Amino acid sequence: MISNLGRNFLLAVRDLGSVATFGMSSLAISVTRDFSIHKVSDQIYQIGVKCVPLIALVGFFTGMVLGLQGYYTLVRFGSEGLLGSAIALSLVRELGPVLTAILVVGQAGSSMAAEIGVQRNSEQIDALETMDIDPKGFLVGPRILAALISFPILTTIFDILGIYGGYFTGVIVMNGDGGTFWNGVQVSLLWGDIWGGYVKAFFFGGLTTLICCFEGFFTHLKSSAFGARGVSQSATNAVVISSITILVSDYLITSFLL
Amino acid sequence: MPLPTKEFPIELKGLIKTFGEQEVLRGVDLMVEPGKVTTIIGKSGTGKSVLLKCLSGLMHPDQGEVIYRGTNLTDPHNRDYLKDFHKGLSYMFQHNALFDSLTVLQNIALPLSEKTRLPRTTIQQRVEEMVDRLDLEQSILTKYPSQISGGMQKRVALARALITEPHIVLFDEPTTGLDPVRKNTVYEMMKRYQERFGFTLLMVSHDIPDVLCISDFIAILDRGKVRFYGTPESLKLTQPPFPPDANGETFGLTNPFKTKILAYLT
């Protein structure tokens, strides 16, 4: 049992090293030799623009739920005036970056892993190599760069709509005071909170996109599943591993920021 | 090293490639003549595609040499030479490997748009010229690979392979999945363009006897080794042409295979 544990630990360390090397070399190629603004903007459209409706919808409803729950909790202590502060802080510091990242992984990350996996299985990646085009620079680098740009913007959209969602339930539906709500938002939110949220969004974007691309890129090396099943497993692994990574790294980043 | 030219042969010496415990290539020796059509034939699973992949750099042989202009390209110290060698080489995949999310125009233009600094108008012009030369209609340029027929996809893949004006083109079973009429059309097309452009053509196939019509040289790969190499005509002079092995097979090739070759030659 101990030897199994040791073997698995070593494999995990090896995989971590492979992912890190894969990500760094992809980024290095993309920002230096093979940089293409066209490819990055195309990926910003795929990762960023296409996810806006989902982020907006979930952000607004998350804010609405926070507003409702927060109001009923705070009113017990006669502190409903703190609703704006509570919603703004919880969204900007935690819920905004984390939920945005999980949603984008679900929508864009899984399709990213599947798309690259299919390209691997249909020899499109081999074709790039024979054309002397680095597949990492062509497929992976632009996606990581696009994610680094898109995630903070999507998080901002989530945060703003979440706060408006909280305003809707806390003020309009529950007849709270609008002035107190916005004053709470303005007073409680510090630049450090906003900055911290962006740091998280930036890290989540880079990490999750890297994991999704890695899963798709090496889909042919999976010993447990081949072909279409291998691609489907890559997409599933991409979402599961990315979601776990988001939550674990969220704790680590938060402990550094506080 | 200068880019590959039509004058120099590619020499494979003792190539060995193993996957786990399975030795696929067991010391392949082969000379690919420049400006000629060489076809590697053999049963499925004899390592034909692996041999092409070792030559194209997609796989690294465990042992052996790929010699071009006196340089061993498998030597890690000659990585720059290998890179230059690949600049003059194109590979046509069995299932075309076209990018299904890119239009036909973007597919054909890919090697130029990614690896050169040519203006977009020049690239478009070269693509249109290539499409004309391959008897494709200009209207397909805006379509996606899935919107055109299998035969057209083959020609689009060929256009992409030829757009960089390579000196060596590798074809991995180019007629897979095509009907007999289309197969002959593809072979006829390959021969016509090989003669027109003058590139070295190395093909893997098991379309016997169709490939014999267009080949200058035939190599029979069996159980990881080249068992026969020569012109299609010289096959007839090899007496006895294919002594059977213990299973009654000839170089691992079944009797119908041998019959087909002999029927073609006599």
Side-chain angles (χ1 to χ4, degrees):
Chain A
M1 193 186 111
I2 290 173
S3 65
N4 272 345
L5 200 68
R7 195 177 303 118
N8 287 335
F9 179 75
L10 286 176
L11 282 175
V13 171
R14 190 198 63 183
D15 287 348
L16 271 178
S18 306
V19 173
T21 316
F22 177 77
M24 290 314 289
S25 60
S26 304
L27 263 183
I29 295 161
S30 300
V31 296
T32 54
R33 203 178 64 195
D34 292 344
F35 180 74
S36 157
I37 190 75
H38 174 73
K39 268 184 260 172
V40 176
S41 59
D42 182 50
Q43 288 306 321
I44 288 176
Y45 176 75
Q46 297 294 335
I47 299 169
V49 178
K50 281 189 170 177
C51 288
V52 167
L54 176 73
I55 296 297
L57 187 74
V58 177
F60 192 73
F61 276 94
T62 305
M64 282 172 71
V65 171
L66 278 178
L68 214 53
Q69 290 278 17
Y71 184 85
Y72 278 112
T73 309
L74 291 170
V75 84
R76 287 187 206 166
F77 308 102
S79 312
E80 62 269 33
L82 292 173
L83 185 65
S85 309
I87 290 174
L89 284 176
S90 51
L91 277 172
V92 172
R93 279 181 171 184
E94 283 301 330
L95 290 175
V98 171
L99 286 180
T100 301
I102 289 174
L103 289 169
V104 178
V105 163
Q107 178 161 321
S110 56
S111 71
M112 210 182 287
E115 189 182 338
I116 296 176
V118 169
Q119 288 177 330
R120 167 63 77 189
N121 281 355
S122 58
E123 295 183 314
Q124 292 174 37
I125 292 179
D126 288 344
L128 286 175
E129 282 181 23
T130 60
M131 287 186 264
D132 198 29
I133 301 168
D134 194 309
K136 283 185 276 185
F138 187 79
L139 297 170
V140 182
R143 284 177 162 89
I144 297 178
L145 284 176
L148 293 177
I149 297 166
S150 303
F151 271 59
I153 296 171
L154 289 171
T155 302
T156 308
I157 294 170
F158 188 100
D159 291 348
I160 291 171
L161 282 162
I163 292 170
Y164 271 101
Y167 175 81
F168 180 76
T169 46
V171 175
I172 296 174
V173 177
M174 306 306 296
N175 287 323
D177 184 66
T180 312
F181 182 91
W182 289 118
N183 182 58
V185 172
Q186 193 187 348
V187 170
S188 62
L189 268 187
L190 303 174
W191 276 114
D193 302 318
I194 297 167
W195 173 244
Y198 281 140
V199 168
K200 286 181 182 179
F202 190 77
F203 270 97
F204 295 161
L207 282 173
T208 56
T209 310
L210 175 58
I211 291 165
C212 294
C213 289
F214 184 85
E215 280 294 324
F217 201 86
F218 294 108
T219 198
H220 62 307
L221 297 182
K222 289 189 191 314
S223 55
S224 51
F226 299 97
R229 194 166 285 181
V231 173
S232 114
Q233 199 187 67
S234 292
T236 308
N237 284 355
V239 174
V240 172
I241 299 171
S242 295
S243 303
I244 295 168
T245 306
I246 289 166
L247 296 173
V248 172
S249 59
D250 181 45
Y251 170 76
L252 293 173
I253 297 169
T254 306
S255 56
F256 272 108
L257 288 174
L258 288 176
Chain B
M1 184 174 80
L3 294 179
T5 64
K6 295 158 195 167
E7 294 99 52
F8 295 93
I10 309 162
E11 199 180 346
L12 311 179
K13 273 188 180 173
L15 280 193
I16 294 176
K17 180 70 186 173
T18 308
F19 296 97
E21 291 185 359
Q22 191 189 1
E23 200 174 38
V24 179
L25 302 180
R26 299 175 178 181
V28 171
D29 298 307
L30 181 67
M31 179 78 86
V32 182
E33 293 294 335
K36 301 285 182 192
V37 179
T38 303
T39 305
I40 303 168
I41 57 178
K43 285 203 303 187
S44 296
T46 49
K48 304 188 294 294
S49 297
V50 172
L51 182 60
L52 275 200
K53 286 182 176 170
C54 285
L55 186 59
S56 67
L58 287 173
M59 278 181 191
H60 300 285
D62 301 331
Q63 277 182 52
E65 297 178 345
V66 177
I67 298 169
Y68 186 77
R69 300 190 76 165
T71 307
N72 175 17
L73 301 176
T74 58
D75 186 339
H77 297 104
N78 295 333
R79 203 167 282 173
D80 289 341
Y81 289 89
L82 181 68
K83 222 169 168 43
D84 285 341
F85 173 73
H86 285 148
K87 281 180 185 160
L89 180 141
S90 279
Y91 194 117
M92 222 184 111
F93 288 82
Q94 196 171 349
H95 299 291
N96 306 323
L98 293 171
F99 278 80
D100 36 24
S101 53
L102 299 182
T103 62
V104 168
L105 171 68
Q106 290 168 326
N107 264 292
I108 300 174
L110 194 62
L112 296 179
S113 56
E114 287 297 317
K115 298 309 290 183
T116 67
R117 292 184 184 275
L118 290 171
R120 194 174 283 187
T121 48
T122 312
I123 293 176
Q124 170 114 14
Q125 200 181 335
R126 279 182 65 173
V127 171
E128 286 169 0
E129 281 170 15
M130 183 55 73
V131 163
D132 276 341
R133 288 163 94 175
L134 292 175
D135 307 320
L136 285 162
E137 287 175 18
Q138 296 289 336
S139 60
I140 67 157
L141 287 176
T142 51
K143 293 186 175 170
Y144 288 88
S146 58
Q147 294 175 307
I148 58 175
S149 69
M152 279 183 181
Q153 286 180 17
K154 282 274 175 233
R155 275 187 279 172
V156 170
L158 185 60
R160 187 177 70 181
L162 298 181
I163 195 78
T164 51
E165 298 175 358
H167 298 295
I168 302 160
V169 186
L170 310 178
F171 288 83
D172 188 357
E173 302 193 22
T175 56
T176 300
L178 295 183
D179 59 64
V181 176
R182 285 231 162 92
K183 269 184 189 176
N184 287 333
T185 310
V186 169
Y187 285 133
E188 186 268 333
M189 180 181 81
M190 285 165 60
K191 182 66 179 170
R192 188 151 39 101
Y193 296 122
Q194 189 275 329
E195 284 170 355
R196 189 188 291 181
F197 296 102
F199 51 81
T200 303
L201 193 159
L202 179 62
M203 168 173 53
V204 154
S205 178
H206 32 213
D207 281 339
I208 302 294
D210 305 14
V211 286
L212 302 179
C213 307
I214 67 156
S215 305
D216 296 307
F217 296 98
I218 296 286
I220 297 180
L221 189 67
D222 176 48
R223 284 166 282 173
K225 282 194 170 183
V226 173
R227 308 283 173 168
F228 171 85
Y229 175 77
T231 61
E233 291 74 27
S234 68
L235 265 174
K236 190 164 57 173
L237 305 173
T238 313
Q239 290 295 338
F242 305 105
D245 61 16
N247 301 322
E249 290 188 342
T250 320
F251 288 148
L253 306 172
T254 54
N255 279 328
F257 186 92
K258 181 181 76 175
T259 313
K260 275 184 178 178
I261 294 177
L262 294 176
Y264 168 76
L265 292 169
T266 50

